[in-house]
Every structure is written in C-alpha cells, then in structure tokens.
Amino acid sequence: MTSFDDREKGYEKKFALDEELQFKSMARRNKLLGLWAAEKMGLSGDDAQTYAREVVKADLEEPGEEDVFRKIRGDFDGKSIEQSDHQIRRAMADFMTEALRQIEAEAKA
C-alpha cells in the first residue's frame, strides 16, 4: 500500500504545483495586460500601476477570464479606445505566453 500512497501524494503535490503555476501565471498575465491597456488609455507611472492592479482584481469576480475581458472592453469603450475584441483577446493570449515565460525563467534563476 505504501507505493499507492506515495503515488497518490505525488499526484496531489503535482496538482498543487500546477494550480499554483496557473494562479501565478494568470495574475502575471493580468498585470501585463493591465499595463498594456493603461498605456493605450494614456496612463503612466503610478496611474498605470493602479490600473493594472484593478485588472488583476477584476479576475477575482468570477471563474474564467471573461471578467477581465469585460473590464478592458468597458474601459476602452468608455475612453473611446479603438481596439477590437479580437485584439484584446490576442493581447490576453500573448501576455499569458509572456507571463509563463517570465515565471519559468524566475524558477530557473
């Protein structure tokens, strides 16, 4: 039974690490996305950082990433920023790739 227990503990540990990586990567992606959106809206410095934190917080409203998309879309619409839904979703995907790359690089360092 010990090999079964060891295997079960191994799976549990991997699951926990995978969940942590997913959480960190989503938070990092949202921060990068928020900084990108802030730049599009003409924000810089502390204002851009504050906006990026608002985007990160927006992801806590509901499961998935639609809450983040709706925030960016709504803020762009409110400021008459010309970005299509496709462009926003593409930025979300690109920043997820970048977030994963950054986190992996930090883990190796």
Side-chain angles (χ1 to χ4, degrees):
M1 286 280 261
T2 58
S3 71
F4 178 77
D5 292 338
D6 291 343
R7 195 174 330 140
E8 183 178 22
K9 287 179 185 177
Y11 286 131
E12 288 172 359
K13 185 175 181 180
K14 183 181 180 334
F15 178 79
L17 289 173
D18 289 348
E19 288 294 309
E20 181 180 358
L21 175 63
Q22 182 177 356
F23 177 79
K24 285 181 179 180
S25 61
M26 291 295 280
R28 178 80 55 99
R29 189 267 326 251
N30 292 337
K31 181 178 181 185
L32 294 169
L33 181 68
L35 292 172
W36 169 80
E39 181 182 339
K40 297 280 185 194
M41 292 186 288
L43 302 174
S44 61
D46 289 342
D47 291 336
Q49 292 296 326
T50 298
Y51 183 77
R53 282 191 295 276
E54 289 174 13
V55 172
V56 171
K57 288 179 187 174
D59 194 26
L60 303 175
E61 293 176 10
E62 64 186 42
E65 58 186 25
E66 286 304 304
D67 43 4
V68 172
F69 173 80
R70 278 194 308 274
K71 171 152 185 55
I72 300 290
R73 173 80 278 152
D75 292 345
F76 279 179
D77 289 348
K79 299 226 184 242
S80 299
I81 305 297
E82 293 288 329
Q83 291 288 308
S84 69
D85 289 358
H86 174 75
Q87 289 170 313
I88 296 169
R89 291 191 188 280
R90 178 61 189 221
M92 292 172 79
D94 291 346
F95 286 124
M96 178 56 90
T97 300
E98 176 62 18
L100 287 168
R101 188 197 63 74
Q102 287 179 7
I103 290 169
E104 289 173 0
E106 290 169 5
K108 291 178 183 177

